[in-house]
Amino acid sequence: MENLMFVYCSCKVIWTLLVTILGYASSLPLGDDSICTAEELAKYSIIFTGKWSQTAFPKQYPLYRPPAQWSSMLGVTHSSDYSMWKKNEYASNGVRDFAEKGEAWVLMKEIEEAGEKIQSVHGIFSAPAISSGTGQTSTELQVHSRHPLVSFVVRIVPSPDWFVGIVSLNLCKGDHWVDEISVDLFPYDAGTDSGFTFSSPNFATIPQDTVTEITCSSPSHPANSFYYPKLKILPPIAQVTMVKLKKNQLGLPIPHLNQPAKSNEILDTFSETPLDCEVSQWSSWGLCRGPCRQQGTKIRTRFVLLHPANNGTPCPNLDEETRCEPDNCV
């Protein structure tokens, strides 16, 4: 009888332990960040480099009112319970306002509410805007072993609702933090405005579409400012680099020296995207001119829609002449 009681008690203890372990495991956040065993906190310098040059993106490149530029960066460090934006999903009201108008207030409120409700946000970071298509901006961010993911958005200015960014990039690899990482960035459409060009007027997409990546062939429309059908892939329009800051003997982060990039150094890394000439359809034939009872000539014309650049296909003839019989001869 004592042996039976011992076996019963042992089984009860084991069952209790299993329930406790399973209950704890089910409370852990899902995703890669749940297995981060690195030191609790890490600090990074994040450097955003704009590569939006007229050489790399010659089609409809904005030169004035306003010229090509980048908005400020708004980012967050978080766990897998939070998502700032996702490809092929609908943008939040905050992301819509930021992508369309550069207004960050609603997005900030969304981040704060997520942090308060499910404790999924560790910190918010921002970096200054860049007043041209090329250049750099930087700031610092802090990640936590339970919040090792980084997301941010930067608006493309001018544009209908286009932006670049990263979503849920994990800086923790098991038992250590990544020392340095660089990511090429490509344009995204927030799905809230239907414009095709950088300077398109505000025209809301109804119903709202999902966030999609803009490529050299999608949207498949000649008016699209990023439409380069001869390319296989667009060149990166920007790049982000994150570098882990080391600690000195006092345990304090070593200050990161922001060295503004020289324009010549950045421009050397730009690829030249060839842009073919685009012309309009032919006009109607003009009147036939010439002496009566003899052959005359008539002309039709077309005009240049897009001038070639970077050794693209040159423009064809813009007028054409053919023989005809003169009209209205007496």
Side-chain angles (χ1 to χ4, degrees):
M1 186 69 179
E2 292 179 357
N3 290 337
L4 289 174
M5 288 296 295
F6 176 76
V7 170
Y8 170 76
C9 292
S10 299
C11 290
K12 188 174 182 180
V13 170
I14 293 172
W15 176 252
T16 303
L17 287 172
L18 283 172
V19 170
T20 303
I21 292 170
L22 289 172
Y24 172 75
S26 65
S27 67
L28 289 174
L30 300 175
D32 292 340
D33 54 322
S34 63
I35 59 173
C36 180
T37 58
E39 59 180 331
E40 189 175 40
L41 294 173
K43 199 166 188 178
Y44 282 81
S45 169
I46 179 169
I47 305 167
F48 177 89
T49 303
K51 295 189 173 185
W52 186 18
S53 70
Q54 192 172 10
T55 303
F57 299 92
K59 187 174 183 179
Q60 303 166 0
Y61 188 80
L63 295 173
Y64 51 88
R65 292 190 297 181
Q69 56 190 276
W70 300 96
S71 76
S72 58
M73 172 194 291
L74 180 60
V76 60
T77 57
H78 59 94
S79 70
S80 59
D81 296 320
Y82 171 78
S83 176
M84 177 180 272
W85 62 276
K86 281 186 179 179
K87 183 179 177 181
N88 299 326
E89 293 190 7
Y90 293 105
S92 67
N93 290 336
V95 171
R96 178 200 63 201
D97 285 357
F98 191 87
E100 287 189 13
K101 299 173 283 187
E103 297 177 358
W105 188 84
V106 176
L107 184 53
M108 290 281 290
K109 289 292 291 181
E110 291 174 352
I111 295 171
E112 290 173 3
E113 289 173 1
E116 291 172 0
K117 288 181 180 178
I118 54 178
Q119 302 297 309
S120 58
V121 173
H122 178 69
I124 300 174
F125 60 90
S126 63
I130 303 175
S131 60
S132 62
T134 61
Q136 287 186 337
T137 187
S138 65
T139 188
E140 293 180 357
L141 60 89
Q142 188 181 69
V143 284
H144 186 276
S145 56
R146 293 184 61 180
H147 304 84
L149 307 181
V150 177
S151 299
F152 72 81
V153 287
V154 179
R155 181 179 179 241
I156 298 173
V157 184
S159 74
D161 60 341
W162 302 340
F163 69 95
V164 297
I166 57 174
V167 57
S168 299
L169 177 65
N170 196 343
L171 295 180
C172 181
K173 299 299 180 185
D175 62 352
H176 68 281
W177 295 102
V178 174
D179 288 327
E180 181 174 346
I181 186 169
S182 292
V183 180
D184 287 333
L185 304 177
F186 299 89
Y188 280 89
D189 186 324
T192 61
D193 194 292
S194 297
F196 272 127
T197 67
F198 296 119
S199 58
S200 293
N202 185 29
F203 186 70
T205 301
I206 301 175
Q208 180 177 333
D209 203 352
T210 58
V211 175
T212 55
E213 184 176 353
I214 301 172
T215 70
C216 56
S217 57
S218 179
S220 183
H221 195 289
N224 176 15
S225 292
F226 287 110
Y227 187 68
Y228 297 94
K230 289 191 174 181
L231 295 182
K232 291 183 178 179
I233 186 173
L234 284 176
I237 196 171
Q239 184 183 69
V240 65
T241 300
M242 280 170 274
V243 181
K244 185 175 180 290
L245 299 180
K246 297 180 179 179
K247 294 181 179 179
N248 58 23
Q249 294 179 349
L250 297 177
L252 299 174
I254 297 174
H256 177 76
L257 298 178
N258 291 328
Q259 298 180 350
K262 298 177 182 178
S263 59
N264 290 338
E265 293 176 350
I266 296 179
L267 287 172
D268 287 343
T269 66
F270 291 149
S271 59
E272 288 193 357
T273 301
L275 183 65
D276 297 338
C277 177
E278 293 182 13
V279 295
S280 68
Q281 297 292 323
W282 286 110
S283 67
S284 300
W285 287 104
L287 295 175
C288 185
R289 298 183 180 278
C292 289
R293 294 178 294 279
Q294 296 183 27
Q295 277 200 330
T297 58
K298 59 182 178 179
I299 296 175
R300 63 177 181 175
T301 61
R302 56 187 174 184
F303 58 90
V304 176
L305 295 173
L306 196 64
H307 288 278
N310 305 328
N311 297 316
T313 303
C315 293
N317 291 332
L318 300 179
D319 53 65
E320 189 174 67
E321 184 178 292
T322 188
R323 294 288 184 178
C324 59
E325 294 293 333
D327 302 322
N328 301 323
C329 282
V330 179

